[in-house]
Amino acid sequence: MLNIENLDVFYDGLQALYSVSLEIRPEEFVCILGPNGAGKSTMLQTIAGMLVPEQGTILFDNQPIHKLAANKIASLGLALVPEEGWLFGQMSVEENLLMGAYPKPSRPKIKRQMEFVFDLFPILAERRKQYEETLSGGERQMLAVGRGLMSNPKMLLLDEPSLGLAPLVVKDILSVLVRINREEKTTILLTEQNIFHALKISQRGYLLENGKVVMQGASQQLLGNEHIKKNYLGL
């Protein structure tokens, strides 16, 4: 579904990704792991068309997308849930969700997707007329995920959805991602600093360090890797 080959990306004049290659198959749940500054956010922003690679190719459903504008990529079925949400504070929960259905192919399914989001996150249904800025941090993250789902994406890109949230809220949001993957057959690519949780819910993972893929494999295999246990899990 997604194939990336030899990707070089610069951010603010500095190289952030070096010859990165990865492959995501349909209906997979894959995580990209690594510390702050490893290039995880840069990776997702490049896939979504917010950054243009200096070198390399990105294919989505066998179509080159690395030179397409972000709105064109979204129309193909790729949705990004960025770090910290990037929501609209002076708009209601419902209005923020409707913004996620902006791509033309998603508009006929607005009602169905809205009902699906409210089924996943009942608290958002209760808050549907509230301004985004009045929500708690956990509710904002739920809204960000919900807005991404409003486009009825084939693939969902999530950048650090657990950042700054209480452990119970993190557990709820990550369990919802598993449900989206299994029930909706939505392919998911997740970046996470919480490596233990990410590997527990995903099928495969890539470890990114200093802008390079240094390790990849099945999630259970990576959980047992000595480098990951020592440097990221404190074991």
Side-chain angles (χ1 to χ4, degrees):
M1 173 172 268
L2 183 74
N3 292 275
I4 297 175
E5 291 288 342
N6 301 318
L7 204 65
D8 287 349
V9 181
F10 286 76
Y11 188 81
D12 285 343
L14 299 174
Q15 189 163 359
L17 296 176
Y18 297 82
S19 299
V20 170
S21 298
L22 59 84
E23 177 184 4
I24 315 294
R25 295 183 286 271
E27 301 182 15
E28 272 197 307
F29 193 140
V30 177
C31 60
I32 298 179
L33 314 169
N36 275 336
K40 303 187 303 296
S41 296
T42 299
M43 169 72 74
L44 293 196
Q45 291 178 28
T46 305
I47 295 170
M50 299 171 66
L51 297 172
V52 179
E54 184 77 15
Q55 181 175 295
T57 59
I58 305 174
L59 301 182
F60 181 64
D61 279 347
N62 296 314
Q63 177 176 341
I65 63 171
H66 49 281
K67 294 183 179 180
L68 294 182
N71 65 309
K72 298 293 185 183
I73 294 174
S75 295
L76 295 175
L78 264 171
L80 171 64
V81 180
E83 186 178 332
E84 299 183 355
W86 297 358
L87 298 165
F88 301 97
Q90 293 296 313
M91 294 173 67
S92 69
V93 165
E94 190 171 48
E95 289 168 335
N96 269 280
L97 290 175
L98 289 173
M99 290 298 291
Y102 183 80
K104 188 174 289 187
S106 65
R107 295 176 193 174
K109 297 182 179 180
I110 285 179
K111 182 178 179 181
R112 187 264 181 194
Q113 290 304 107
M114 186 82 74
E115 290 174 351
F116 177 55
V117 170
F118 287 154
D119 179 57
L120 290 173
F121 303 114
I123 191 66
L124 295 183
E126 297 175 23
R127 306 273 196 269
R128 64 190 302 163
K129 298 302 181 183
Q130 283 187 217
Y131 287 144
E132 181 274 341
E133 64 185 7
T134 68
L135 302 179
S136 70
E139 289 165 352
R140 287 192 181 105
Q141 190 58 61
M142 293 174 194
L143 180 55
V145 174
R147 187 181 61 182
L149 290 171
M150 285 298 295
S151 65
N152 191 31
K154 299 176 185 176
M155 184 171 184
L156 194 60
L157 312 173
L158 297 115
D159 193 5
E160 304 278 9
S162 71
L163 188 66
L165 300 182
L168 285 177
V169 178
V170 171
K171 183 178 179 181
D172 288 344
I173 289 177
L174 295 182
S175 67
V176 165
L177 298 184
V178 173
R179 182 178 168 189
I180 294 166
N181 174 247
R182 292 177 180 173
E183 295 182 12
E184 294 295 300
K185 309 301 182 184
T186 303
T187 306
I188 292 180
L189 180 59
L190 168 76
T191 72
E192 258 297 331
Q193 285 188 55
N194 193 321
I195 287 184
F196 180 78
H197 285 312
L199 290 174
K200 278 293 186 180
I201 64 173
S202 63
Q203 297 153 8
R204 291 193 302 116
Y206 291 84
L207 179 60
L208 203 62
E209 293 180 345
N210 299 315
K212 300 176 182 179
V213 174
V214 297
M215 194 179 303
Q216 61 177 292
S219 295
Q220 287 300 312
Q221 174 189 352
L222 293 177
L223 266 175
N225 180 271
E226 290 301 321
H227 176 74
I228 289 178
K229 288 197 293 185
K230 179 180 178 181
N231 292 282
Y232 296 99
L233 300 179
L235 300 176

